[in-house]
Amino acid sequence: MNAMNNEHVILSLGPASEQRPVVMRGPADMAELLPYLLGFYPDDSIVAVGLQGPDLHQGGVIRADLPVSPAEWPAAAEETAALLVALSERHGGRPLQVLLYLCQDPGTAHAPPPVEDLRPLADHLRAAFGRRGVAVKESLCVSDDRWWSFLCRREGCCDPAGTPVRRGPDPGPAAAAATVAGLVPRGSRKAIVAGLAPVGPPEDGAQREALVRAEPVAGAVSREEGLELLEQAFAEFAAGARELDEERTARLLFALRDRLTRDRGVEYVRPAELAPAERLWRFLARRAVPPYEGCAVAPLTLLAWSSWVAGDTATARVVLGHVLRLSPDYLLAELLYESMNDGMTPGALLVAVEAQRRRREERAAAVRPEPEAEAEPGPAMGGESGPPGPGQAPAGGRRRRRGGRWKGVSTASARADRGSGCPASPGCQDSPTSAGSPSSPGRPSDPGEPRPEGSGSEPVALLPAPGCGPTPGVRPTRGVRLGRVGACASAAARSGTGLHRCRGSRRAARGARRAD
């Protein structure tokens, strides 16, 4: 007899602001509702759902990669249990019980189901939660659209071949209620990631050659030129374009290494901008062909941000997990990821981003010269910038001289503050001309580095507020950070330049396993 046959579990599906209670009545409902809990169909995954309060309502939910080697299973079980307990305590209290899923499809068409192979991992998880005073209410193996209960030991109770997961035109009551509430899984995690793969032949050849040509001169492109290139590309996609030529694509991929150029892309989240922005970021990410796959990190992070704002949390979560596998220390991806996993919505971040954008636009409008005093237009992208004439700002500048500097002019030649985000590719290393403190491959430059006074290209710092560090004594699984609470969001809304920086949680989790 299965543990869930006699009690109900209340799930809250949907955004935190509009949770929709759905009652789960047994292991069949539990298996059927798994993709609704995450927004996608997991594969090769450990999923844990905390149950809280006397009515056993849903608490925290985490997903972690299923370790390939059984030797890693005890440590994975301990990390999973510690993480779920700590996450739940941050959001209302320690869970009373937990639901567990182990998901793995067979490697070949005729391979035996993995339930017996995974049973030791299920036992490790049950023991790890037991040591923390959390009982395992149900533990399922889900594979190839069938499920098995690890807790059912009654002979003859369960079919050794597994029980089919309800799908298609005849869903169970719980899945029907979730569907009526507007929740639709986006497909499998593997399918979402496969849609982000670099283009193949014959497109990849021409794009690779363009990247090779752009690489040697990438460091000589100023920030203002990169911003102009980005704004022009976005304007074309907003007008209906679906691709750029290979040369501009290559230059833009390298330009997005710059943190402030990338952060300008963060601003493209007004309602009419979301669809073209997602098309642009997806197009760019798929043109980061081998050996330049790492150049996809910045556009993929922007794609995840746009997807989250658009309400597609499942895609955003999967994309961020993919980014952090490409570049484990990419700060913006880490912080967006931990915000999502801590139950935040993008609302407070949107307030900060929009306020930053309005200030930038107002400053640009205030210092725009009168028509009769307008300077000659600057050179086209890729041209050499000559010295400024009397009363004229350097190319790309927006403000008049003040205090010995051109206000609004990026000192890309003086302090480029580049964040490569391209750890795997030879062309995505920070160039020697990117002055300021050097960045290690695959990591953004130190976000705390001071910018030149009067820099007009201020970053939108989507980072957590001070004091939001990790839980003492807990080493969280990589990618699901602790330390993001509602206070961070309110601090973001009050902040003049977006969310503040808090690097402690990132350092504390370094080296742990990835989860999403």
Side-chain angles (χ1 to χ4, degrees):
M1 182 171 175
N2 290 306
M4 283 192 62
N5 279 349
N6 295 324
E7 293 182 72
H8 296 173
V9 171
I10 299 175
L11 304 181
S12 297
L13 303 179
S17 61
E18 46 180 291
Q19 291 180 343
R20 306 168 177 89
V22 175
V23 177
M24 186 162 62
R25 295 173 172 81
D29 283 353
M30 180 178 165
E32 187 178 17
L33 283 174
L34 174 58
Y36 294 92
L37 284 167
L38 300 175
F40 57 89
Y41 294 88
D43 42 64
D44 298 329
S45 300
I46 302 170
V47 180
V49 182
L51 303 178
Q52 296 180 284
D55 59 348
L56 297 180
H57 63 272
Q58 174 199 327
V61 180
I62 62 171
R63 190 213 68 87
D65 290 341
L66 187 68
V68 176
S69 171
E72 300 177 18
W73 289 356
E78 290 295 330
E79 287 186 9
T80 300
L83 178 59
L84 182 66
V85 169
L87 185 63
S88 298
E89 286 177 339
R90 281 189 172 273
H91 292 274
R94 178 180 290 260
L96 297 180
Q97 299 185 55
V98 63
L99 303 177
L100 296 174
Y101 301 82
L102 298 182
C103 308
Q104 185 179 62
D105 286 337
T108 62
H110 302 291
V115 57
E116 292 305 322
D117 291 340
L118 293 176
R119 192 176 293 276
L121 176 55
D123 293 339
H124 286 307
L125 285 163
R126 189 177 183 185
F129 277 101
R131 284 189 286 274
R132 291 163 176 80
V134 180
V136 174
K137 183 170 181 58
E138 183 59 275
S139 178
L140 297 185
C141 173
V142 181
S143 177
D144 198 22
D145 286 332
R146 305 182 78 83
W147 61 267
W148 295 258
S149 172
F150 289 115
L151 302 186
C152 181
R153 301 297 179 93
R154 183 177 174 182
E155 188 174 353
C157 177
C158 297
D159 187 342
T163 303
V165 177
R166 288 190 295 251
R167 292 276 191 270
D170 189 24
T179 303
V180 169
L183 301 175
V184 180
R186 296 285 180 177
S188 72
R189 185 173 63 102
K190 286 181 179 177
I192 294 173
V193 173
L196 305 171
V199 295
E203 296 173 273
D204 62 332
Q207 188 60 67
R208 186 179 297 106
E209 292 172 4
L211 285 162
V212 170
R213 289 191 296 271
E215 176 184 351
V217 297
V221 176
S222 72
R223 174 173 294 154
E224 292 299 327
E225 290 176 316
L227 288 169
E228 181 183 351
L229 181 60
L230 173 61
E231 290 174 352
Q232 185 180 41
F234 177 75
E236 292 179 18
F237 271 67
R242 294 190 172 272
E243 60 181 22
L244 303 172
D245 63 79
E246 289 85 359
E247 297 298 329
R248 283 199 297 160
T249 298
R251 287 155 58 196
L252 186 50
L253 282 169
F254 284 115
L256 286 170
R257 297 182 305 172
D258 179 70
R259 181 168 57 88
L260 302 190
T261 303
R262 178 208 65 195
D263 284 354
R264 180 67 60 85
V266 170
E267 296 181 1
Y268 299 144
V269 286
R270 289 173 179 169
E273 296 172 338
L274 284 172
E278 290 186 40
R279 288 202 315 273
L280 175 60
W281 309 139
R282 192 179 293 272
F283 169 83
L284 290 171
R286 299 201 63 208
R287 266 62 188 176
V289 297
Y292 297 92
E293 299 98 321
C295 288
V297 167
L300 283 174
T301 303
L302 293 170
L303 172 63
W305 164 240
S306 299
S307 298
W308 189 25
V309 173
D312 188 357
T313 304
T315 295
R317 191 185 300 277
V318 172
V319 172
L320 287 172
H322 181 55
V323 169
L324 292 170
R325 278 182 282 274
L326 289 173
S327 181
D329 294 319
Y330 197 67
L331 185 58
L332 178 58
E334 284 189 310
L335 295 168
L336 290 175
Y337 208 29
E338 68 186 32
S339 298
M340 295 178 62
N341 285 325
D342 233 21
M344 286 182 63
T345 61
L349 303 182
L350 284 171
V351 170
V353 168
E354 182 62 22
Q356 175 68 47
R357 182 174 180 175
R358 287 184 182 279
R359 285 194 298 273
R360 178 178 59 78
E361 292 172 344
E362 288 168 1
R363 286 195 300 269
V367 299
R368 187 174 294 122
E370 296 297 328
E372 60 271 19
E374 207 165 336
E376 290 296 321
M381 277 298 302
E384 294 292 328
S385 301
Q392 179 185 351
R398 291 190 298 275
R399 299 196 183 187
R400 294 176 181 268
R401 188 177 178 87
R402 186 182 82 175
R405 289 199 180 98
W406 288 98
K407 190 165 180 65
V409 175
S410 159
T411 50
S413 55
R415 199 183 292 266
D417 192 16
R418 302 240 180 219
S420 76
C422 306
S425 66
C428 291
Q429 306 297 326
D430 289 346
S431 66
T433 60
S434 299
S437 61
S439 299
S440 59
R443 291 184 59 185
S445 302
D446 184 358
E449 180 182 347
R451 296 188 303 280
E453 180 185 355
S455 173
S457 301
E458 298 180 19
V460 176
L462 298 175
L463 310 178
C468 297
T471 303
V474 175
R475 179 172 176 258
T477 302
R478 165 75 72 178
V480 178
R481 304 288 190 274
L482 307 179
R484 296 296 306 244
V485 292
C488 297
S490 59
R494 294 192 302 268
S495 168
T497 57
L499 296 183
H500 297 285
R501 297 171 172 82
C502 176
R503 302 175 66 192
S505 61
R506 177 169 63 100
R507 290 170 176 160
R510 188 168 292 152
R513 294 170 52 254
R514 173 77 54 213
D516 51 53

